[in-house]
Amino acid sequence: MKIFLTTTAFALMASTAMSDTITLYTSQPNADAQQTVDAFEAANPGTEVEWVRDGTTKLMARLRAEIEAGNPQPDVLLIADTVTLEGMAQEGLLTAYQSPEAANYDAALYSAEGYYHSTKLITTGIVYNTGVETAPDSWADLSDAALKGQIAMPSPLYSGAALIHLATLTGDESLGWDYYGALAANDARAQGGNGGTFKAVAAGEKPYGMVVDFLAIRNKADGSPVEFVFPEEGVSYVTEPVAIMSSAKNVEGAQKFVDFLLGEDGQELVLDMGYIPARDGMGVPAGFPAREDIALMAFDPAVALENAEANKAKFAELFGAE
């Protein structure tokens, strides 16, 4: 009898330990991921997070291999964009969760069914070197022939944020594919990611560019000779959404993680990291305009997903396949 009780006790202890652990796959930078996990665990004593960090593309490749092998590991995903998660939702790989915190968010920032919820806003706008004579204030300004050969931007063949930017601008009635045609005619350089684009602008090699907001604003604060513009037409954005896998082993723990990220404490953490919180009524980091002064352009993840390959092909025709 004693052996039976001891064995049962160990089984219960193992079960409890398993139920109090969640596995997170995230594309956050390492420091941000560690800060997020530490804050969640402090707010939820007894619940531990095991996490794996990599770029979204590599994480998805790893996850696909696990799914193919019949053993997906993560309970929860925190990755770069809603388009990737929209695709997973359509495949039945995510579980719907109607977080009570969603009432504090614009409906455009989460799946109506609850498959994913945005946690922050990382917008793409215009960066320019302070040495230029003409400061742009709209996307249309970059199509001015006077700026021929002076523009750099990340390639949507390389950058997920750039692909969402492409989908957003080409879906805008005032811009559309004609705008990208004008950029191509203006010899805009479209290659690599946001980091390389920013460096080209800061160095004056290509004095105008399109980049994610924090990259320009933080570097400007550190003395880089750049200015960042939120164009008058509005900005595109990625939102680092969170989602629960349909194969999650600890659904309750995953739901707690989602609620924490979307709650005020989780959103204050986003602000402390230097990003725009997705939640209504929050502040903005130093150097950013007031949230109400940042116009978000219309974006539909399902439409962007449907058009992704066609958009890439058309872009490659215009700018080459670099």
Side-chain angles (χ1 to χ4, degrees):
M1 176 68 81
K2 185 177 181 181
I3 295 174
F4 174 76
L5 287 173
T6 303
T7 304
T8 302
F10 277 124
L12 286 172
M13 288 171 63
S15 175
T16 301
M18 184 175 295
S19 66
D20 287 342
T21 299
I22 61 172
T23 301
L24 166 70
Y25 277 17
T26 181
S27 62
Q28 285 186 306
N30 276 312
D32 290 356
Q34 187 66 66
Q35 194 174 350
T36 299
V37 168
D38 289 347
F40 170 76
E41 290 181 341
N44 294 271
T47 302
E48 296 183 358
V49 180
E50 296 178 350
W51 55 283
V52 174
R53 188 271 157 199
D54 211 329
T56 294
T57 300
K58 289 184 177 179
L59 271 183
M60 290 302 100
R62 173 176 177 153
L63 181 54
R64 291 288 177 183
E66 292 174 355
I67 292 170
E68 185 70 22
N71 189 29
Q73 294 299 305
D75 295 294
V76 63
L77 303 175
L78 180 60
I79 62 172
D81 65 273
T82 54
V83 176
T84 298
L85 292 183
E86 176 64 29
M88 295 184 69
Q90 291 183 17
E91 290 182 66
L93 297 175
L94 303 180
T95 191
Y97 174 51
Q98 298 288 353
S99 171
E101 299 292 346
N104 300 290
Y105 287 72
D106 187 304
L109 296 179
Y110 60 90
S111 158
E113 299 81 9
Y115 288 117
Y116 50 83
H117 296 79
S118 300
T119 66
K120 62 184 61 165
L121 297 176
I122 301 175
T123 74
T124 291
I126 299 172
V127 63
Y128 65 92
N129 190 287
T130 52
V132 302
E133 294 182 4
T134 305
D137 56 23
S138 71
W139 293 118
D141 288 344
L142 297 186
S143 62
D144 188 330
L147 304 187
K148 187 168 186 176
Q150 301 179 58
I151 303 161
M153 58 184 178
S155 170
L157 307 179
Y158 179 89
S159 161
L163 181 58
I164 286 175
H165 184 66
L166 174 69
T168 302
L169 267 59
T170 55
D172 183 84
E173 289 184 1
S174 68
L175 297 169
W177 277 105
D178 287 346
Y179 176 65
Y180 274 85
L183 290 176
N186 237 6
D187 292 338
R189 186 182 76 186
Q191 61 188 57
N194 281 275
T197 295
F198 175 78
K199 288 178 182 178
V201 174
E205 176 194 346
K206 298 286 184 181
Y208 301 89
M210 303 177 179
V211 295
V212 290
D213 52 27
F214 69 87
L215 195 58
I217 291 172
R218 291 179 190 175
N219 279 283
K220 175 190 172 183
D222 289 338
S224 188
V226 298
E227 291 288 348
F228 185 79
V229 176
F230 290 83
E232 59 188 27
E233 300 97 335
V235 288
S236 68
Y237 56 96
V238 293
T239 63
E240 198 168 272
V242 61
I244 300 171
M245 293 287 294
S246 57
S247 55
K249 300 176 181 67
N250 186 354
V251 175
E252 183 178 343
Q255 290 175 347
K256 286 196 292 185
F257 188 78
V258 171
D259 290 343
F260 171 77
L261 291 183
L262 302 183
E264 288 190 19
D265 288 347
Q267 290 295 287
E268 282 290 346
L269 186 64
V270 167
L271 187 57
D272 290 345
M273 291 176 183
Y275 303 100
I276 305 172
R279 185 183 174 104
D280 293 340
M282 305 293 295
V284 294
F288 284 73
R291 171 73 181 276
E292 58 267 24
D293 294 333
I294 301 174
L296 301 180
M297 301 178 77
F299 176 70
D300 185 328
V303 173
L305 176 66
E306 182 181 357
N307 295 336
E309 294 308 314
N311 282 348
K312 288 179 184 179
K314 194 163 185 177
F315 184 89
E317 287 178 13
L318 286 171
F319 294 92
E322 290 188 51

